[in-house]
């Protein structure tokens, strides 16, 4: 399948809302753009006091469509098991906001957006991103919505990293933070996998130095390789074994170099559907932010949250080897050293990093109880 | 760096010996070739009774040069810590044979060898390989050397799989078997990594449908990606962290899309040196054998070794997540069920799968003691 076209990358579907910030945006690591467009969705109703808002930060390849089924779609949003009426993030009591991230490819300004200065896509001229840039855009969106203080900020994986950065840099913005399947910094192994994915994309001749949209090429091979490899790291050996084992895709194994094992077919399918919905430049820009993120590297990193400690939930999953439980425990220790009241749970789940996207009773009970406590304290 | 040329792939250096089997070779999965050339090295001296020979099977990207330093080289062979005078595989008492594997690219016939029928390299017309094909070639070499029975057959990773296959199909060929850091079958996760590597190589335009040697192209990008990814799986998160952490390659991190972290530079270097010494077709042919290998899949698999049980050493490493200890334990259980006397050790080592190539005292003591017992029983 072909990668998304320029038009697709810059078109907003009917259910999402666009917010355009016309204040010039200065990137932490240098560079600026004059307008930032943010695509976001909301679920539930904002109460009059504007105290019931929960802000959702999505993961590397997520988007604004977190919950519900859009007209014409068959699949619900990426966190539909978590967000909705009667669900842990209960839209009967909470107002939920989920934007596409800065640098993304689902309606928010990113490297494949139009650069007004050139009339072409930004490509690799788009400024290098930092975790704090995401937070700055999120804060502008919250201000635009007229909300003084969020009830909670919540996210998994790269989303959890955004929550951590936000909580450290502006804890006064939220009553509570939920950091799920995340890390305060990537391990050397994490960076290594990230580097291989980036190489696969950037060394694909179809990448055309980042101007594939204008040149009508596409780094489909590189992006497919990156996605297949990443997908292995999102799951666990046990989960792959339970689901596929060494089963043939068809009746019998027929040795050769084609797709023969069921696991191979599954990976191919993952890659194909990914090409339809994701952009190679967004992939390298967003994954690179994770490589450089090191939340507690400065001695002053915890100063603000130490002055303004907020209830924080940290949650990991036992079989997650991409962002392992030990990475969450390190985060917990750093937060507790700053005086933050942390609820930590290592959920027994077998499907690896992607566990955070699944419906797991103990996990859902945990989120529900944590959010309801905030609701009782703040809203009721 | 450029991939190896046709001449380089088919030239034998002075220290190695060539054996050409002129008996037509029938592949297990179909196809035949008229001549098989095998490049091998030997170390130590064969005793008069020809009872002190140890046969070494190499891993996926190994070669015949297991020990010693060749003239003009600076680096010793790939298992030099294990093989030599006074070393665990002591060349003062043992005669050691190490051939390049069938399908390889270091002097033994493989897919980049000349196909006499076409005057070109075989490319993808080379027959699909099976673990038993390796064993058949190894047995021809042993017969050629006039050895009736090997003292031991020994190998790590894919080498260990060859040992297992050989021990199951012709246990009478050896007094003892040593299976190190191996598995009787790949897990779904193993196959998944293998599939991504193969895709990276075969979808590289430079692969030219397997005829890159004639077309003067080279799948350098694909082979680099495959090697970098594989290398991550050969080591452990802990080892990468201890060696590189999040250190910059130069003085400071300078965010961008180039090589910046030390771990990135290391992976690049691994890929570059690999291109110099390895061939893309060999990579996909040999790795595909591993995907299909399932030693105990047939109910009759253990029948021969049950009739002819031989002392077998199985050795795994605690931090090896590519061929985990549980995979070795499964092998041990299957062998013991067939009545094989198995010595099993899970060596406490931190560097992952590649531990089997390193000098680790407990590991070396284990190998030395096991081989010396065979020596005492058979040779002395």
């Amino acid at each position: 399948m072909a990668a998304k076209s320029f038009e697709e990358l810059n078109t907003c579907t009917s259910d999402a809302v666009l917010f355009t910030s016309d204040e010039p945006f200065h990137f932490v690591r240098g560079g600026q753009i004059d307008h930032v467009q943010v695509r976001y969705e909301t679920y539930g109703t904002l109460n009059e006091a504007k105290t019931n808002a929960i802000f959702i930060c999505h993961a590397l390849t997520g988007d604004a469509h977190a919950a519900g089924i859009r007209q014409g779609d068959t699949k619900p949003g990426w966190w539909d098991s978590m967000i909705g009426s009667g669900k842990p993030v209960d839209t009967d009591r909470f107002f939920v906001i989920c934007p596409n991230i800065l640098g993304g490819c689902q309606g928010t300004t990113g490297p494949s957006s139009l650069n007004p200065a050139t009339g072409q896509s930004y490509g690799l001229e788009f400024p290098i991103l930092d975790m704090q840039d995401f937070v700055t855009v999120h804060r502008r969106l919250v201000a635009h919505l007229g909300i003084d203080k969020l009830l909670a900020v919540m996210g998994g994986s790269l989303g959890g990293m955004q929550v951590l950065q936000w909580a450290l840099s502006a804890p006064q913005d939220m009553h509570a933070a939920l950091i799920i399947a995340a890390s305060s910094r990537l391990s050397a192994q994490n960076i290594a996998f990230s580097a291989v994915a980036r190489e696969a994309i950037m060394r694909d001749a179809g990448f055309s130095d980042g101007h594939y949209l204008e040149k009508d090429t596409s780094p489909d091979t590189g992006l497919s390789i990156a996605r297949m490899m990443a997908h292995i790291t999102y799951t666990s050996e046990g989960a792959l074994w339970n689901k596929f084992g060494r089963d043939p895709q068809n009746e019998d194994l027929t040795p050769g170099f084609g797709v023969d094992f069921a696991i191979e077919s599954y990976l191919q399918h993952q890659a194909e559907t990914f090409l339809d919905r994701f952009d190679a430049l967004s992939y390298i820009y967003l994954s690179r932010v994770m490589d450089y993120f090191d939340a507690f590297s400065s001695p002053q990193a915890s100063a603000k949250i130490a002055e303004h400690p907020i209830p924080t939930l940290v949650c990991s999953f036992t079989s997650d080897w991409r962002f392992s439980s030990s990475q969450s425990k390190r985060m917990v220790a750093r937060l507790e050293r700053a005086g933050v009241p942390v609820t930590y749970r290592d959920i027994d789940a077998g499907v690896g990093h992607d566990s955070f996207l699944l419906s797991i009773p103990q996990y859902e009970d945990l989120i529900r109880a944590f959010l309801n406590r905030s609701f009782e304290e703040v809203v009721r």
Side-chain angles (χ1 to χ4, degrees), chain A:
Chain A
M1 291 186 218
K4 294 168 76 82
S5 70
F6 187 81
E7 288 68 30
E8 284 171 312
L9 284 168
N10 290 280
T11 304
C12 187
T13 64
S14 56
D15 292 324
V17 184
L18 283 182
F19 153 61
T20 304
S21 170
D22 290 327
E23 191 187 335
F25 189 89
H26 299 275
F27 292 81
V28 167
R29 299 191 183 279
Q32 81 166 64
I33 54 179
D34 290 338
H35 309 279
V36 173
Q37 172 183 283
V38 178
R39 177 175 163 183
Y40 67 99
E41 294 191 10
T42 65
Y43 319 99
T45 308
L46 187 61
N47 63 11
E48 264 188 52
K50 298 188 171 182
T51 55
N52 69 333
I54 295 181
F55 196 100
I56 306 289
C57 300
H58 70 67
L60 176 62
T61 67
D63 54 35
H65 183 46
I69 299 185
R70 285 186 293 218
Q71 213 171 8
D73 276 5
T74 52
K75 279 188 159 182
W78 58 269
W79 222 355
D80 192 69
S81 62
M82 187 63 81
I83 302 163
S85 173
K87 296 179 182 175
V89 182
D90 190 347
T91 49
D92 295 341
R93 47 172 49 178
F94 302 121
F95 175 67
V96 181
I97 309 155
C98 182
N100 184 213
I101 200 173
L102 177 69
C105 55
Q106 303 282 358
T108 294
T109 303
S112 285
S113 297
L114 184 75
N115 179 353
T118 64
Q120 294 198 326
S121 63
Y122 285 99
L124 291 172
E125 289 85 54
F126 197 76
I128 295 291
L129 291 163
D130 183 272
M131 201 67 73
Q132 185 61 40
D133 293 322
F134 301 147
V135 173
T136 304
V137 171
H138 295 338
R139 298 187 78 200
R140 285 193 187 180
L141 174 59
V142 172
H144 164 75
L145 294 171
I147 296 168
D148 285 334
K149 191 163 186 167
L150 294 160
L151 184 63
V153 182
M154 170 175 179
S157 196
L158 170 58
M161 294 170 139
Q162 293 164 57
V163 178
L164 176 61
Q165 182 63 45
W166 197 344
L168 290 176
S169 59
Q172 72 283 1
D173 285 358
M174 64 195 82
H175 288 285
L178 296 88
I179 302 168
I180 302 166
S183 178
S184 69
R185 63 177 190 197
L186 296 200
S187 70
Q189 188 190 64
N190 292 152
I191 296 171
F193 276 121
S194 176
V196 178
R198 199 174 62 255
E199 284 290 305
I201 291 168
M202 295 182 74
R203 288 180 63 168
D204 184 328
F207 184 68
S208 303
D209 294 325
H211 281 289
Y212 46 87
L213 292 175
E214 288 79 24
K215 300 208 171 141
D216 205 23
T217 59
S218 54
D220 284 359
T221 292
L223 190 56
S224 295
I225 299 298
R227 177 60 173 183
M228 286 192 274
M229 182 180 67
H231 194 83
I232 300 172
T233 72
Y234 296 153
T235 180
S236 69
E237 164 142 337
L240 289 177
W241 185 259
N242 290 338
K243 198 163 178 182
F244 304 106
R246 297 176 49 84
D247 294 346
Q249 171 61 10
N250 297 308
E251 277 186 29
D252 295 303
L253 288 174
T254 50
F257 295 112
V259 169
D260 195 14
F261 292 93
I263 174 68
E264 294 178 316
S265 172
Y266 171 73
L267 283 181
Q268 291 269 355
H269 176 73
Q270 288 293 325
E272 280 169 20
T273 56
F274 189 62
L275 290 182
D276 262 359
R277 72 176 179 85
F278 216 77
D279 174 57
L281 280 162
S282 285
Y283 197 90
I284 63 168
Y285 268 85
L286 298 181
S287 64
R288 202 55 167 154
V289 175
M290 298 169 80
D291 292 352
Y292 285 108
F293 182 57
D294 191 354
F296 296 106
S297 61
S298 127
Q300 292 309 306
S302 309
K304 282 189 182 170
I305 205 169
E307 275 181 31
H308 198 104
I310 49 172
T312 300
L313 174 72
V314 175
C315 174
S316 57
F317 298 88
T318 52
S319 61
D320 183 352
W321 61 281
R322 187 175 173 94
F323 292 153
S324 64
S325 303
S326 66
Q327 281 167 291
S328 278
K329 286 173 189 164
R330 181 179 178 279
M331 219 172 353
V332 170
R334 293 299 175 106
L335 289 167
E336 287 184 336
R337 197 179 306 164
V340 175
V342 181
T343 298
Y344 171 63
R345 207 73 81 247
D346 191 29
I347 301 284
D348 192 14
V351 289
H353 186 61
D354 271 354
S355 297
F356 88 89
L357 294 167
L358 302 182
S359 179
I360 298 167
Q362 194 200 346
Y363 169 44
E364 294 185 344
D365 291 346
L366 173 72
I367 303 293
R368 186 190 307 272
F370 186 84
L371 287 177
N372 283 346
R373 184 169 169 198
S374 296
F375 184 84
E376 294 299 329
E377 286 174 358
V378 176
V379 183
R380 195 181 291 272

